[in-house]
Amino acid sequence: MSKVIAVFGAGTGLGVSVARRFGREGFRVALVARRKDRLDTLVEVLAGEGIEAVAFSADLSKPAEVPALVEAIRDRFGRIDVVAYGPISGDQGFTPAAKLDAATLEGLTPLLLFTPVEVVQAVLPEWTERGEGAFLLAQGYSAAQPMPHLSGLGPVMSATRNYLYSLNAELADTGIYVGALTIASLIARSEVSAAAQAAFESADGPHFPVVDPDDLAEHYWNMYTKRDRVEQFHPESLTPQATA
């Protein structure tokens, strides 16, 4: 039975590029996002490239629904081997730290922290039994490097980053890999790039380059196959230490 990757937060940018990259290696693909019509379009695109993909409509800001969602994917495909989690959308934006309040953080936390934790819990028994699996998460650069006027997302993503580092170490000898792709770029063909660029400009923030999501998907594939790092930065030279 061929392997399966579940792409949580599948869209026209990184999500479909990851599906395509793994699909070229023989993976079947579960595409997960809110809008069924958009997912169906991506399924058709991938089918035209010879990649088997199925759409699963779900609201990933509701962590309580994760077990049933994962079970539905497993019922359809028989297994899940890799999870790629990265559901940032235009609904999530930056907030200056001086204006950040508990309500804003509360609104961001389910999607960016609670749901990925629940996804791990839902797939971990299968992976532990099989002795193999991989959880890959995409996050913005502010998870690793705080930036003035561009808070909100960063504090929540940094908590998830902390969790992933611990999880990677705990599972290192089990055959299960956990890794984070930390992106300091705007993603071409992504629906949220324009909104992110506007936020950076209004805050007089960093001027990030634009990256082809196919290049980011290649990072994911290398992380999955090599399993030699907890975190991959893009651009690779841009580390928190280099810009602090």
Side-chain angles (χ1 to χ4, degrees):
M1 184 181 296
S2 58
K3 291 185 175 182
V4 175
I5 180 170
V7 182
F8 287 76
T12 57
L14 179 58
V16 72
S17 289
V18 171
R20 182 175 288 118
R21 182 64 184 89
F22 279 74
R24 290 205 309 266
E25 304 294 336
F27 278 72
R28 296 170 292 158
V29 181
L31 299 175
V32 183
R34 283 185 299 180
R35 290 184 52 181
K36 182 68 161 52
D37 57 340
R38 190 175 299 170
L39 289 176
D40 288 340
T41 299
L42 296 179
V43 167
E44 292 180 8
V45 169
L46 293 170
E49 300 173 14
I51 298 170
E52 180 184 350
V54 177
F56 294 85
S57 179
D59 184 350
L60 295 177
S61 68
K62 299 179 178 179
E65 297 180 4
V66 166
L69 170 61
V70 169
E71 191 60 30
I73 297 171
R74 193 178 287 119
D75 285 345
R76 172 59 179 80
F77 288 108
R79 59 191 292 147
I80 299 172
D81 297 272
V82 179
V83 168
Y85 191 91
I88 293 293
S89 74
D91 296 336
Q92 293 83 43
F94 295 100
T95 303
K99 296 182 179 180
L100 187 61
D101 56 21
T104 301
L105 291 173
E106 187 176 21
L108 295 168
T109 302
L111 180 69
L112 300 178
L113 177 59
F114 295 159
T115 293
V117 169
E118 285 297 291
V119 171
V120 170
Q121 289 303 308
V123 298
L124 200 53
E126 175 187 354
W127 291 355
T128 301
E129 181 179 354
R130 192 183 302 134
E132 204 278 332
F135 183 86
L136 306 169
L137 180 138
Q139 61 187 2
Y141 188 58
S142 62
Q145 178 61 58
M147 292 175 283
H149 308 290
L150 298 172
S151 188
L153 295 170
V156 181
M157 291 189 298
S158 67
T160 309
R161 181 174 181 254
N162 176 292
Y163 164 73
L164 291 179
Y165 265 79
S166 296
L167 194 62
N168 175 283
E170 292 174 15
L171 300 176
D173 297 326
T174 68
I176 300 169
Y177 172 69
V178 177
L181 175 60
T182 303
I183 305 167
S185 304
L186 300 173
I187 302 174
R189 303 189 295 277
S190 170
E191 298 168 358
V192 303
S193 286
Q197 183 62 60
F200 295 148
E201 291 175 353
S202 65
D204 195 24
H207 296 281
F208 287 142
V210 177
V211 61
D212 190 313
D214 292 347
D215 294 337
L216 298 177
E218 194 64 35
H219 280 316
Y220 259 168
W221 181 253
N222 288 334
M223 292 167 68
Y224 170 67
T225 55
K226 295 180 180 179
R227 305 183 176 217
D228 59 355
R229 76 214 83 166
V230 186
E231 187 170 16
Q232 171 71 51
F233 283 89
H234 183 92
E236 295 184 57
S237 61
L238 192 57
T239 66
Q241 292 77 19
T243 58

